Amino acid sequence: MSLSTSNSRKFVLAMLATSGFVLLLLLALVEIHLRRFAAVDDRRFGQVQSELANATAPWAAFGDSHVASGLVSNTWLDNFGQPSDNFEDMVTKIELRLKRGNLKGIILQADPQLFAFYRLTANKKNGVATVVDRSERFTMLQLLYPQHRQYLVPMVSTSVRSAIGPGREAPPVIPTKAHSDIDRSSEKWKKDAALRVQLHTPVSNLNNLDTVRKYTALANSLLARGLSVCLVNFPVSSDYREISTSSGSFQQSIAYFKRLSSESGAVLVDASSMFPDASFSDPDHLASAAAAALTLRLYERCGMAGHMERSE
């Protein structure tokens, strides 16, 4: 064996060893970061669990950002809506609230987007339902959990930026426009509405969807417990409504909620066109002032007023 061949092999082995060490180091750093994210999720769930365990209002609302931004908690309503909550998150929170007792009624989000592809595929990945099942959560590599893959790209990107540009100042924060300064006739607003409708479009063949069957079972089980159930289709802007009406999947979802209300006896409130465009902070989220008004309207429309009077 020549000296040059021997040196080449040593060089290759050294490179492989170095590369392997660097790879293991990177994986270890990523794992540490992911465990931090998992710990944040646990703290988030602990906070939600505490709020549900200490809830005192006789009514509770559950759903995603439409609920979170559309209602205001008060002495007779606890708003447990949270951005990105899917159906499984709603069920988990409801089960925790039921354990507390002293509950008279529930507002269930009845928006077509609950059956959109991105919401259905998010089940058991990003929400509270994921955090509840924490068996062996820290006994195996966090890299093996699919729900953590969303953190990998921004984590690597941040690391690269830090490496190539140490000391670089953070980009300036662009101030958010005030509610009154939003131009709801602009092309940007209309484009935003179109993108949101596209994202929220329910999947086809709704009647064969497992989540639809579970939603029906949830409403019926709550009614069987003697609770009042109010299904609410939350307000959206006129541009959002105009675009979504051309979607057969949207109309199929709306028809499902109407049928569920008729067959189960749950109250259905279609608040989708209840507010003018000036009441919205974006094409499908109410601004805070309108949220207070919607809360009062649902007090009447959901039957809370009569229910509360009978209990006094």
Side-chain angles (χ1 to χ4, degrees):
M1 182 183 297
S2 66
L3 181 62
S4 61
T5 302
S6 176
N7 289 336
S8 297
R9 286 185 176 180
K10 290 180 180 179
F11 176 76
V12 170
L13 290 173
M15 287 295 296
L16 289 174
T18 303
S19 300
F21 174 77
V22 171
L23 179 60
L24 288 175
L25 181 61
L26 287 175
L27 289 175
L29 291 174
V30 170
E31 178 68 16
I32 291 172
H33 279 289
L34 288 179
R35 285 179 177 268
R36 289 177 181 173
F37 279 114
V40 169
D41 279 344
D42 274 5
R43 287 197 296 272
R44 169 175 169 257
F45 173 72
Q47 180 181 356
V48 171
Q49 191 176 35
S50 176
E51 291 173 355
L52 289 163
N54 296 303
T56 57
W59 276 72
F62 301 89
D64 62 18
S65 58
H66 282 188
V67 181
S69 66
L71 298 175
V72 179
S73 293
N74 52 71
T75 56
W76 43 267
L77 175 69
D78 285 318
N79 181 6
F80 293 114
Q82 192 165 351
S84 299
D85 270 8
N86 53 42
F87 174 73
E88 292 195 10
D89 294 322
M90 292 168 59
V91 172
T92 301
K93 288 182 175 181
I94 289 171
E95 289 174 348
L96 290 171
R97 178 60 185 88
L98 289 173
K99 291 180 181 179
R100 169 69 173 170
N102 300 318
L103 189 63
K104 296 175 182 175
I106 286 180
I107 292 177
L108 284 180
Q109 181 180 10
D111 290 339
Q113 70 193 53
L114 287 176
F115 308 129
F117 178 78
Y118 84 107
R119 278 294 155 82
L120 298 174
T121 54
N123 279 351
K124 293 188 177 179
K125 288 185 180 179
N126 305 321
V128 173
T130 302
V131 187
V132 175
D133 184 13
R134 300 197 297 273
S135 58
E136 301 181 358
R137 186 166 175 79
F138 290 96
T139 61
M140 62 184 296
L141 290 175
Q142 299 297 299
L143 282 167
L144 300 180
Y145 284 91
Q147 62 265 29
H148 289 155
R149 291 170 188 162
Q150 59 181 319
Y151 301 126
L152 297 181
V153 173
M155 190 181 303
V156 173
S157 176
T158 301
S159 301
V160 170
R161 285 199 303 270
S162 299
I164 64 176
R168 185 179 298 173
E169 294 184 1
V173 176
I174 301 174
T176 304
K177 284 188 176 182
H179 171 57
S180 58
D181 295 336
I182 300 174
D183 183 3
R184 297 171 182 83
S185 63
S186 68
E187 285 302 314
K188 181 181 181 302
W189 174 275
K190 296 181 184 299
K191 184 180 294 185
D192 189 17
L195 289 173
R196 288 169 185 266
V197 170
Q198 183 179 15
L199 179 65
H200 294 168
T201 298
V203 297
S204 56
N205 299 321
L206 204 67
N207 294 330
N208 298 324
L209 202 60
D210 187 46
T211 301
V212 169
R213 289 190 289 270
K214 290 180 178 179
Y215 190 103
T216 301
L218 172 65
N220 286 325
S221 67
L222 293 172
L223 290 166
R225 285 174 171 262
L227 297 173
S228 295
V229 175
C230 188
L231 311 176
V232 179
N233 185 4
F234 279 79
V236 291
S237 66
S238 60
D239 289 298
Y240 186 105
R241 291 197 309 275
E242 182 179 356
I243 299 170
S244 63
T245 51
S246 62
S247 167
S249 296
F250 264 89
Q251 301 312 308
Q252 188 181 13
S253 298
I254 293 171
Y256 158 72
F257 289 119
K258 289 181 179 178
R259 185 171 64 254
L260 174 60
S261 172
S262 175
E263 294 176 353
S264 68
V267 175
L268 175 64
V269 178
D270 183 2
S272 59
S273 59
M274 193 175 281
F275 290 86
D277 287 350
S279 302
F280 291 85
S281 57
D282 63 45
D284 66 315
H285 291 96
L286 285 176
S288 56
L294 176 61
T295 304
L296 291 176
R297 293 189 190 186
L298 292 185
Y299 181 77
E300 299 291 338
R301 298 283 294 275
C302 288
M304 297 183 206
H307 197 169
M308 302 268 299
E309 289 170 3
R310 288 195 299 272
S311 65
E312 291 176 353

